[in-house]
Amino acid sequence: MQAATQAAGIGPRIAVLIPCYNEEGAIAKVVTDFRHALPEAAIYVYDNNSRDRTAAVAGHAGAVVRAESLQGKGNVVRRMFADIDADVYVLVDGDDTYDPFASPGMVSLLLRNRLDMVTGVRVGLAVTAYRRGHRFGNRMLTWMVKTVFGRGVSDMLSGYRAFSRRFVKSFPGLASGFEIETEFTVHALEMRMAIGEVRTAYSHRPAGTASKLRTYSDGIRILRMIVQLAKQERPLQFFGLSGGLMLALGIGLGTPVILDFVQTGLVPRLPTAVLATGCVLIAFLSFTAGLILQSVAHGRKEIKRLGYLAIRPYELGDEPGDPARSIPQDTASPGLAVERFADAGRLPNLRRAD
C-alpha cells in the first residue's frame, strides 16, 4: 500500500530537517527513530562544519546529508528552507533530546486543523535534560514576547516544530544562531498564522555529547533579537516608549526651572533648562519616527501577507486513511499519548518529499 501511495502521489510530502554540529554520538539514533516514526518522510541532515563523523554516520543511517558552511543554527535553517521543497516540514535538533514519535501527532494536527506551525512543548523527564536556569530563561523570554506581541506560545525556544509550506516559503530567516526560534514565533504571531502545540517528552543528551547552547551569550543574543523584532514590527510602541521616557525626564527637569522663571523672571539653572528642552525635543522626534516607521512596517506586513497568500496551501483530501500511518500506543512515551494525539486524529497517507 505504501508503494502504491507513493506512486499515486497521494498525501503530503513530508521532510524532516535536522541541523547538526558535532552530533556523531546521537545522530544515528535520531535518523533511525524518525524513519520509524515517519516512514514516508525524507530525512535531511545538514552538517554545519562538524569536526567529527556526524555526516558519515548520518548518511550511513539513511539520511540525505548536505553541508552548510556558515556557522550557526539560523544559517543552517535558512539554507534548509531555501533548498528543500515539501508540503510539511518537521524541524528537530540532532541531539536526541526530543521524542521522534511525537512527530506523527504534530504533523496530523498541522494538517487536520490547517495550521502553519505546531510547536513541540517540552516536558522534561530528567532534571539534567532541562536545567533550571534554562527553564527560567525560557519562561522569561516567552513572557517578554507575549507582552510585546500580544500573545505567544508556551515554549518559545523549543527546537521541535512542524511547519506548513506557506510558513517556510514566506519566512525571511534573518537570524544566524539559536535566536532563530524567536524569529519563528514572532513571524507566526505578526502574520497572524494559525498555530498549535503538542506536549512532547524532553530527555537528557546521550553520554559523550555536549550541548552547543551557551547560557549567557546565547541568552543575550535572543534578548537582542526580541528587541530588534519589537523595533521592526512594532515601531510605534518601541519609539513611543522611548519618547515617553524622554518626555517624562524633560518635564521632571524642566518643571523647577519653569517655576523659578514664573516667580523671579530669571533662569538661574540654564544648563538644566537646555537639557530639559533637549529631552522634550528628542521625545517628539521619537514619536514622529515611530509614526513614520509604523506606516512602513504596515506596508511591509501587507507585502509579506500577500507573499504568504501567493503560496498554495496543501489541501487535505478525502483519501482513505491508512492505519499503518498511526503510531501504536505502546511505542509512545509514557503519559504523553493523550497530549500528542488529542485533536490530531490519524495521519493521512504520506509520501516522500522531493
CSV table of all heavy atoms in Angstrom, one decimal, residues 202-257:
chain,number,residue,atom,x,y,z
A,202,TYR,N,11.0,15.4,26.7
A,202,TYR,CA,12.3,16.0,26.6
A,202,TYR,C,13.3,15.4,27.5
A,202,TYR,O,13.1,15.4,28.7
A,202,TYR,CB,12.2,17.5,26.8
A,202,TYR,CG,13.5,18.3,26.5
A,202,TYR,CD1,13.9,18.5,25.2
A,202,TYR,CD2,14.3,18.8,27.5
A,202,TYR,CE1,15.1,19.2,24.8
A,202,TYR,CE2,15.5,19.5,27.2
A,202,TYR,CZ,15.9,19.7,25.9
A,202,TYR,OH,17.0,20.3,25.6
A,203,SER,N,14.3,14.7,27.0
A,203,SER,CA,15.2,13.9,27.8
A,203,SER,C,16.6,14.4,27.7
A,203,SER,O,16.9,15.3,26.9
A,203,SER,CB,15.2,12.4,27.4
A,203,SER,OG,15.5,12.3,26.0
A,204,HIS,N,17.5,13.9,28.5
A,204,HIS,CA,18.9,14.3,28.6
A,204,HIS,C,19.6,13.8,27.3
A,204,HIS,O,19.2,12.9,26.7
A,204,HIS,CB,19.6,13.8,29.8
A,204,HIS,CG,19.6,12.3,30.0
A,204,HIS,ND1,20.4,11.5,29.3
A,204,HIS,CD2,18.8,11.5,30.7
A,204,HIS,CE1,20.2,10.2,29.6
A,204,HIS,NE2,19.2,10.2,30.5
A,205,ARG,N,20.7,14.5,27.0
A,205,ARG,CA,21.5,14.1,25.9
A,205,ARG,C,22.2,12.8,26.1
A,205,ARG,O,22.5,12.4,27.3
A,205,ARG,CB,22.6,15.2,25.6
A,205,ARG,CG,22.1,16.6,25.3
A,205,ARG,CD,23.2,17.6,25.1
A,205,ARG,NE,24.1,17.2,24.1
A,205,ARG,CZ,24.0,17.6,22.8
A,205,ARG,NH1,23.1,18.5,22.5
A,205,ARG,NH2,24.9,17.2,21.9
A,206,PRO,N,22.6,12.1,25.0
A,206,PRO,CA,23.3,10.8,25.2
A,206,PRO,C,24.7,11.1,25.8
A,206,PRO,O,25.2,12.2,25.7
A,206,PRO,CB,23.4,10.3,23.7
A,206,PRO,CG,22.3,11.0,23.0
A,206,PRO,CD,22.2,12.3,23.6
A,207,ALA,N,25.2,10.1,26.5
A,207,ALA,CA,26.5,10.2,27.1
A,207,ALA,C,27.6,10.5,26.0
A,207,ALA,O,27.5,9.9,24.9
A,207,ALA,CB,26.8,8.9,27.8
A,208,GLY,N,28.5,11.3,26.3
A,208,GLY,CA,29.6,11.6,25.4
A,208,GLY,C,29.3,12.8,24.5
A,208,GLY,O,30.2,13.1,23.7
A,209,THR,N,28.1,13.4,24.6
A,209,THR,CA,27.8,14.5,23.7
A,209,THR,C,27.6,15.8,24.6
A,209,THR,O,27.4,15.6,25.8
A,209,THR,CB,26.5,14.3,22.9
A,209,THR,OG1,25.4,14.2,23.9
A,209,THR,CG2,26.6,13.0,22.1
A,210,ALA,N,27.8,16.9,24.0
A,210,ALA,CA,27.7,18.2,24.8
A,210,ALA,C,26.8,19.2,24.1
A,210,ALA,O,26.7,19.2,22.9
A,210,ALA,CB,29.1,18.8,24.9
A,211,SER,N,26.1,20.0,24.9
A,211,SER,CA,25.2,21.0,24.4
A,211,SER,C,26.0,22.1,23.8
A,211,SER,O,27.0,22.5,24.2
A,211,SER,CB,24.3,21.5,25.6
A,211,SER,OG,23.5,22.6,25.1
A,212,LYS,N,25.4,22.6,22.7
A,212,LYS,CA,26.1,23.8,22.0
A,212,LYS,C,25.5,25.1,22.5
A,212,LYS,O,26.0,26.2,22.1
A,212,LYS,CB,25.8,23.7,20.5
A,212,LYS,CG,26.1,22.3,19.9
A,212,LYS,CD,27.4,21.7,20.2
A,212,LYS,CE,27.7,20.4,19.5
A,212,LYS,NZ,26.8,19.3,20.0
A,213,LEU,N,24.5,25.0,23.3
A,213,LEU,CA,23.8,26.3,23.8
A,213,LEU,C,24.7,26.9,24.9
A,213,LEU,O,25.0,26.2,25.9
A,213,LEU,CB,22.4,26.0,24.4
A,213,LEU,CG,21.6,27.1,24.9
A,213,LEU,CD1,21.3,28.1,23.8
A,213,LEU,CD2,20.3,26.7,25.5
A,214,ARG,N,25.0,28.1,24.8
A,214,ARG,CA,25.8,28.9,25.8
A,214,ARG,C,24.8,29.8,26.5
A,214,ARG,O,24.2,30.7,25.9
A,214,ARG,CB,26.9,29.7,25.1
A,214,ARG,CG,27.9,28.9,24.4
A,214,ARG,CD,28.8,29.7,23.5
A,214,ARG,NE,28.0,30.2,22.4
A,214,ARG,CZ,28.5,31.0,21.4
A,214,ARG,NH1,29.8,31.3,21.4
A,214,ARG,NH2,27.7,31.4,20.4
A,215,THR,N,24.6,29.5,27.8
A,215,THR,CA,23.5,30.1,28.5
A,215,THR,C,23.5,31.6,28.5
A,215,THR,O,22.4,32.2,28.1
A,215,THR,CB,23.6,29.6,30.0
A,215,THR,OG1,23.6,28.2,30.1
A,215,THR,CG2,22.4,30.2,30.8
A,216,TYR,N,24.6,32.2,28.8
A,216,TYR,CA,24.5,33.7,28.9
A,216,TYR,C,24.7,34.4,27.5
A,216,TYR,O,23.9,35.3,27.2
A,216,TYR,CB,25.6,34.2,29.8
A,216,TYR,CG,25.4,33.6,31.2
A,216,TYR,CD1,26.2,32.6,31.7
A,216,TYR,CD2,24.4,34.2,32.1
A,216,TYR,CE1,26.0,32.1,33.0
A,216,TYR,CE2,24.2,33.7,33.3
A,216,TYR,CZ,25.0,32.7,33.8
A,216,TYR,OH,24.8,32.2,35.1
A,217,SER,N,25.7,34.0,26.7
A,217,SER,CA,25.9,34.7,25.4
A,217,SER,C,24.7,34.4,24.5
A,217,SER,O,24.2,35.4,23.8
A,217,SER,CB,27.2,34.2,24.8
A,217,SER,OG,27.1,32.8,24.6
A,218,ASP,N,24.2,33.2,24.4
A,218,ASP,CA,23.0,32.9,23.6
A,218,ASP,C,21.8,33.6,24.1
A,218,ASP,O,20.9,34.0,23.4
A,218,ASP,CB,22.8,31.4,23.4
A,218,ASP,CG,23.8,30.8,22.4
A,218,ASP,OD1,24.2,31.5,21.4
A,218,ASP,OD2,24.3,29.7,22.7
A,219,GLY,N,21.7,33.6,25.5
A,219,GLY,CA,20.5,34.3,26.1
A,219,GLY,C,20.5,35.8,25.7
A,219,GLY,O,19.4,36.4,25.4
A,220,ILE,N,21.7,36.4,25.7
A,220,ILE,CA,21.8,37.8,25.3
A,220,ILE,C,21.4,38.0,23.9
A,220,ILE,O,20.7,39.0,23.5
A,220,ILE,CB,23.2,38.4,25.6
A,220,ILE,CG1,23.4,38.4,27.2
A,220,ILE,CG2,23.4,39.8,25.0
A,220,ILE,CD1,24.8,38.8,27.6
A,221,ARG,N,21.9,37.1,23.0
A,221,ARG,CA,21.5,37.2,21.6
A,221,ARG,C,20.0,37.1,21.4
A,221,ARG,O,19.5,37.8,20.5
A,221,ARG,CB,22.3,36.1,20.8
A,221,ARG,CG,23.8,36.3,20.8
A,221,ARG,CD,24.4,35.3,19.9
A,221,ARG,NE,24.1,35.4,18.5
A,221,ARG,CZ,24.6,34.6,17.6
A,221,ARG,NH1,25.5,33.7,17.9
A,221,ARG,NH2,24.2,34.8,16.3
A,222,ILE,N,19.4,36.2,22.1
A,222,ILE,CA,17.9,36.0,22.0
A,222,ILE,C,17.2,37.3,22.4
A,222,ILE,O,16.3,37.7,21.8
A,222,ILE,CB,17.5,34.8,22.8
A,222,ILE,CG1,18.0,33.5,22.1
A,222,ILE,CG2,15.9,34.7,22.8
A,222,ILE,CD1,17.8,32.3,23.0
A,223,LEU,N,17.7,37.8,23.6
A,223,LEU,CA,17.1,39.1,24.1
A,223,LEU,C,17.3,40.2,23.1
A,223,LEU,O,16.3,41.0,22.8
A,223,LEU,CB,17.7,39.4,25.4
A,223,LEU,CG,17.2,40.7,26.1
A,223,LEU,CD1,15.7,40.6,26.4
A,223,LEU,CD2,18.0,41.0,27.4
A,224,ARG,N,18.4,40.3,22.5
A,224,ARG,CA,18.7,41.3,21.5
A,224,ARG,C,17.8,41.1,20.2
A,224,ARG,O,17.3,42.1,19.7
A,224,ARG,CB,20.1,41.3,21.0
A,224,ARG,CG,20.5,42.4,20.1
A,224,ARG,CD,22.0,42.4,19.8
A,224,ARG,NE,22.5,41.1,19.3
A,224,ARG,CZ,23.8,40.7,19.2
A,224,ARG,NH1,24.7,41.5,19.6
A,224,ARG,NH2,24.1,39.5,18.7
A,225,MET,N,17.5,39.9,19.9
A,225,MET,CA,16.6,39.6,18.8
A,225,MET,C,15.2,40.1,19.1
A,225,MET,O,14.5,40.6,18.2
A,225,MET,CB,16.7,38.1,18.4
A,225,MET,CG,15.6,37.7,17.4
A,225,MET,SD,15.8,38.4,15.8
A,225,MET,CE,17.3,37.6,15.2
A,226,ILE,N,14.8,39.8,20.3
A,226,ILE,CA,13.4,40.3,20.7
A,226,ILE,C,13.3,41.8,20.6
A,226,ILE,O,12.3,42.3,20.0
A,226,ILE,CB,13.1,39.8,22.1
A,226,ILE,CG1,13.0,38.3,22.2
A,226,ILE,CG2,11.8,40.4,22.6
A,226,ILE,CD1,12.8,37.8,23.6
A,227,VAL,N,14.3,42.5,21.0
A,227,VAL,CA,14.3,44.0,20.9
A,227,VAL,C,14.3,44.4,19.5
A,227,VAL,O,13.6,45.3,19.1
A,227,VAL,CB,15.5,44.6,21.7
A,227,VAL,CG1,15.6,46.1,21.5
A,227,VAL,CG2,15.4,44.2,23.2
A,228,GLN,N,15.1,43.8,18.6
A,228,GLN,CA,15.2,44.2,17.2
A,228,GLN,C,13.9,43.9,16.5
A,228,GLN,O,13.4,44.7,15.7
A,228,GLN,CB,16.3,43.4,16.5
A,228,GLN,CG,17.7,43.8,16.9
A,228,GLN,CD,18.8,42.9,16.3
A,228,GLN,OE1,18.5,41.9,15.7
A,228,GLN,NE2,20.0,43.4,16.4
A,229,LEU,N,13.2,42.8,16.8
A,229,LEU,CA,12.0,42.5,16.2
A,229,LEU,C,10.9,43.4,16.7
A,229,LEU,O,10.0,43.8,15.9
A,229,LEU,CB,11.6,41.0,16.5
A,229,LEU,CG,12.4,39.9,15.8
A,229,LEU,CD1,12.1,38.6,16.3
A,229,LEU,CD2,12.3,40.0,14.3
A,230,ALA,N,10.9,43.8,18.0
A,230,ALA,CA,10.0,44.8,18.5
A,230,ALA,C,10.1,46.1,17.8
A,230,ALA,O,9.1,46.7,17.4
A,230,ALA,CB,10.2,44.9,20.0
A,231,LYS,N,11.4,46.5,17.5
A,231,LYS,CA,11.6,47.8,16.8
A,231,LYS,C,11.1,47.7,15.4
A,231,LYS,O,10.5,48.6,14.8
A,231,LYS,CB,13.1,48.1,16.8
A,231,LYS,CG,13.5,49.4,16.1
A,231,LYS,CD,14.9,49.7,16.2
A,231,LYS,CE,15.8,48.7,15.6
A,231,LYS,NZ,15.7,48.7,14.1
A,232,GLN,N,11.3,46.5,14.7
A,232,GLN,CA,10.9,46.4,13.3
A,232,GLN,C,9.4,46.2,13.2
A,232,GLN,O,8.8,46.8,12.2
A,232,GLN,CB,11.7,45.2,12.7
A,232,GLN,CG,13.2,45.4,12.6
A,232,GLN,CD,13.9,44.1,12.2
A,232,GLN,OE1,13.2,43.1,11.9
A,232,GLN,NE2,15.2,44.1,12.3
A,233,GLU,N,8.8,45.4,14.0
A,233,GLU,CA,7.4,45.0,13.8
A,233,GLU,C,6.4,46.0,14.6
A,233,GLU,O,5.3,46.1,14.2
A,233,GLU,CB,7.2,43.6,14.3
A,233,GLU,CG,8.1,42.6,13.6
A,233,GLU,CD,7.8,42.5,12.1
A,233,GLU,OE1,6.7,42.9,11.7
A,233,GLU,OE2,8.7,42.0,11.4
A,234,ARG,N,6.9,46.5,15.7
A,234,ARG,CA,6.1,47.4,16.5
A,234,ARG,C,6.8,48.8,16.7
A,234,ARG,O,7.1,49.1,17.9
A,234,ARG,CB,5.7,46.8,17.8
A,234,ARG,CG,5.0,45.4,17.7
A,234,ARG,CD,3.6,45.6,17.2
A,234,ARG,NE,2.9,44.4,17.0
A,234,ARG,CZ,2.1,43.8,17.9
A,234,ARG,NH1,2.0,44.3,19.1
A,234,ARG,NH2,1.5,42.6,17.7
A,235,PRO,N,7.1,49.5,15.7
A,235,PRO,CA,7.9,50.7,15.9
A,235,PRO,C,7.2,51.8,16.7
A,235,PRO,O,7.9,52.6,17.4
A,235,PRO,CB,8.2,51.2,14.5
A,235,PRO,CG,7.2,50.6,13.6
A,235,PRO,CD,6.8,49.3,14.3
A,236,LEU,N,5.9,51.9,16.5
A,236,LEU,CA,5.2,53.0,17.3
A,236,LEU,C,5.3,52.7,18.8
A,236,LEU,O,5.6,53.7,19.5
A,236,LEU,CB,3.7,53.0,16.8
A,236,LEU,CG,2.9,54.2,17.5
A,236,LEU,CD1,3.5,55.5,17.2
A,236,LEU,CD2,1.5,54.1,16.9
A,237,GLN,N,5.1,51.5,19.2
A,237,GLN,CA,5.2,51.2,20.6
A,237,GLN,C,6.6,51.3,21.1
A,237,GLN,O,6.9,51.8,22.2
A,237,GLN,CB,4.7,49.8,20.9
A,237,GLN,CG,3.2,49.6,20.7
A,237,GLN,CD,2.8,49.2,19.3
A,237,GLN,OE1,3.5,49.6,18.3
A,237,GLN,NE2,1.7,48.5,19.1
A,238,PHE,N,7.6,50.9,20.2
A,238,PHE,CA,9.0,50.9,20.6
A,238,PHE,C,9.5,52.4,20.8
A,238,PHE,O,10.0,52.7,21.9
A,238,PHE,CB,9.8,50.2,19.6
A,238,PHE,CG,11.3,50.2,19.9
A,238,PHE,CD1,11.8,49.1,20.7
A,238,PHE,CD2,12.2,51.1,19.4
A,238,PHE,CE1,13.2,49.1,21.0
A,238,PHE,CE2,13.5,51.1,19.7
A,238,PHE,CZ,14.0,50.1,20.5
A,239,PHE,N,9.3,53.2,19.8
A,239,PHE,CA,9.7,54.6,19.9
A,239,PHE,C,8.8,55.4,20.7
A,239,PHE,O,9.2,56.4,21.3
A,239,PHE,CB,9.8,55.2,18.5
A,239,PHE,CG,11.0,54.7,17.7
A,239,PHE,CD1,10.8,53.6,16.7
A,239,PHE,CD2,12.3,55.2,17.9
A,239,PHE,CE1,11.9,53.1,16.0
A,239,PHE,CE2,13.3,54.7,17.1
A,239,PHE,CZ,13.1,53.7,16.2
A,240,GLY,N,7.5,55.0,20.9
A,240,GLY,CA,6.6,55.7,21.8
A,240,GLY,C,7.1,55.5,23.2
A,240,GLY,O,7.0,56.5,24.0
A,241,LEU,N,7.6,54.3,23.6
A,241,LEU,CA,8.0,54.1,24.9
A,241,LEU,C,9.3,54.9,25.2
A,241,LEU,O,9.4,55.6,26.3
A,241,LEU,CB,8.4,52.6,25.1
A,241,LEU,CG,9.0,52.2,26.5
A,241,LEU,CD1,8.0,52.5,27.6
A,241,LEU,CD2,9.3,50.7,26.5
A,242,SER,N,10.2,54.9,24.3
A,242,SER,CA,11.5,55.7,24.5
A,242,SER,C,11.1,57.2,24.5
A,242,SER,O,11.7,58.0,25.3
A,242,SER,CB,12.5,55.4,23.4
A,242,SER,OG,12.0,55.7,22.1
A,243,GLY,N,10.2,57.6,23.6
A,243,GLY,CA,9.8,59.0,23.6
A,243,GLY,C,9.1,59.4,24.9
A,243,GLY,O,9.3,60.5,25.4
A,244,GLY,N,8.3,58.5,25.5
A,244,GLY,CA,7.6,58.8,26.7
A,244,GLY,C,8.6,58.9,27.9
A,244,GLY,O,8.4,59.8,28.7
A,245,LEU,N,9.6,58.1,27.9
A,245,LEU,CA,10.6,58.2,28.9
A,245,LEU,C,11.4,59.5,28.8
A,245,LEU,O,11.6,60.2,29.8
A,245,LEU,CB,11.6,57.0,28.8
A,245,LEU,CG,11.0,55.6,29.1
A,245,LEU,CD1,12.0,54.6,28.9
A,245,LEU,CD2,10.5,55.6,30.6
A,246,MET,N,11.7,59.9,27.6
A,246,MET,CA,12.4,61.2,27.4
A,246,MET,C,11.5,62.4,27.8
A,246,MET,O,12.0,63.4,28.4
A,246,MET,CB,12.9,61.3,26.0
A,246,MET,CG,14.0,60.3,25.6
A,246,MET,SD,15.5,60.4,26.7
A,246,MET,CE,16.1,62.0,26.3
A,247,LEU,N,10.2,62.3,27.4
A,247,LEU,CA,9.3,63.4,27.8
A,247,LEU,C,9.2,63.5,29.3
A,247,LEU,O,9.2,64.6,29.8
A,247,LEU,CB,8.0,63.1,27.1
A,247,LEU,CG,6.9,64.2,27.3
A,247,LEU,CD1,7.4,65.5,26.8
A,247,LEU,CD2,5.6,63.8,26.7
A,248,ALA,N,9.0,62.4,30.0
A,248,ALA,CA,8.9,62.4,31.4
A,248,ALA,C,10.2,63.0,32.0
A,248,ALA,O,10.1,63.8,33.0
A,248,ALA,CB,8.7,61.0,32.0
A,249,LEU,N,11.4,62.6,31.5
A,249,LEU,CA,12.6,63.2,32.0
A,249,LEU,C,12.7,64.7,31.8
A,249,LEU,O,13.1,65.5,32.7
A,249,LEU,CB,13.8,62.5,31.4
A,249,LEU,CG,15.2,62.9,31.8
A,249,LEU,CD1,15.4,62.7,33.3
A,249,LEU,CD2,16.3,62.2,31.0
A,250,GLY,N,12.3,65.1,30.6
A,250,GLY,CA,12.3,66.5,30.3
A,250,GLY,C,11.4,67.3,31.2
A,250,GLY,O,11.7,68.4,31.6
A,251,ILE,N,10.2,66.8,31.4
A,251,ILE,CA,9.2,67.5,32.3
A,251,ILE,C,9.7,67.6,33.7
A,251,ILE,O,9.6,68.6,34.4
A,251,ILE,CB,7.8,66.8,32.2
A,251,ILE,CG1,7.2,67.0,30.8
A,251,ILE,CG2,6.9,67.4,33.3
A,251,ILE,CD1,5.9,66.2,30.6
A,252,GLY,N,10.3,66.5,34.2
A,252,GLY,CA,10.9,66.4,35.5
A,252,GLY,C,12.0,67.4,35.7
A,252,GLY,O,12.1,68.1,36.8
A,253,LEU,N,12.9,67.6,34.7
A,253,LEU,CA,14.0,68.5,34.8
A,253,LEU,C,13.5,70.0,34.6
A,253,LEU,O,14.0,70.9,35.2
A,253,LEU,CB,15.1,68.2,33.8
A,253,LEU,CG,15.8,66.9,34.0
A,253,LEU,CD1,16.7,66.6,32.8
A,253,LEU,CD2,16.7,67.0,35.2
A,254,GLY,N,12.5,70.1,33.7
A,254,GLY,CA,12.1,71.5,33.3
A,254,GLY,C,11.1,72.1,34.3
A,254,GLY,O,11.1,73.4,34.3
A,255,THR,N,10.4,71.4,35.0
A,255,THR,CA,9.3,72.0,35.9
A,255,THR,C,9.9,72.9,36.9
A,255,THR,O,9.4,74.1,37.1
A,255,THR,CB,8.5,70.8,36.6
A,255,THR,OG1,7.9,70.0,35.6
A,255,THR,CG2,7.5,71.4,37.5
A,256,PRO,N,11.0,72.6,37.7
A,256,PRO,CA,11.6,73.5,38.6
A,256,PRO,C,12.1,74.8,38.0
A,256,PRO,O,12.0,75.9,38.5
A,256,PRO,CB,12.7,72.7,39.3
A,256,PRO,CG,12.4,71.3,39.1
A,256,PRO,CD,11.7,71.3,37.8
A,257,VAL,N,12.6,74.6,36.7
A,257,VAL,CA,13.2,75.8,36.0
A,257,VAL,C,12.0,76.7,35.6
A,257,VAL,O,12.1,78.0,35.8
A,257,VAL,CB,13.9,75.3,34.8
A,257,VAL,CG1,14.4,76.6,33.9
A,257,VAL,CG2,15.1,74.5,35.2
